[in-house]
Amino acid sequence: MVWSMIWGIVFIAIGVFAFLKPEVIWKLTEQWKSSYADEPSELYRFSTKLGGVILVGIGIAAVVLSLWWE
């Protein structure tokens, strides 16, 4: 049960970071692949923010379920 709570907190932290700073994630993962792009596209920003929201939801579910099953 402790591990699911820890993973839930990690998912929440990563999700909040992805929602608030999609440009940083793009710089770390995608910028090196393109010699022409200086910033992420609007579609990339939207999909990264959506992924962040989904990760936060999964993290909250993991924390709540780990507390509920105790």
Side-chain angles (χ1 to χ4, degrees):
M1 298 301 167
V2 174
W3 282 109
S4 61
M5 186 174 290
I6 291 171
W7 280 111
I9 293 169
V10 168
F11 278 16
I12 290 170
I14 293 171
V16 167
F17 184 73
F19 184 79
L20 295 177
K21 300 286 186 180
E23 294 85 12
V24 174
I25 293 175
W26 178 78
K27 284 182 182 180
L28 292 173
T29 61
E30 302 293 328
Q31 185 178 19
W32 64 273
K33 296 177 186 176
S34 175
S35 59
Y36 301 110
D38 293 331
E39 61 183 27
S41 67
E42 290 300 317
L43 179 62
Y44 183 86
R45 286 186 181 125
F46 174 76
S47 63
T48 303
K49 287 184 177 195
L50 180 63
V53 169
I54 291 170
L55 279 176
V56 168
I58 291 170
I60 290 172
V63 170
V64 168
L65 288 175
S66 69
L67 291 174
W68 184 56
W69 280 338
E70 281 188 5

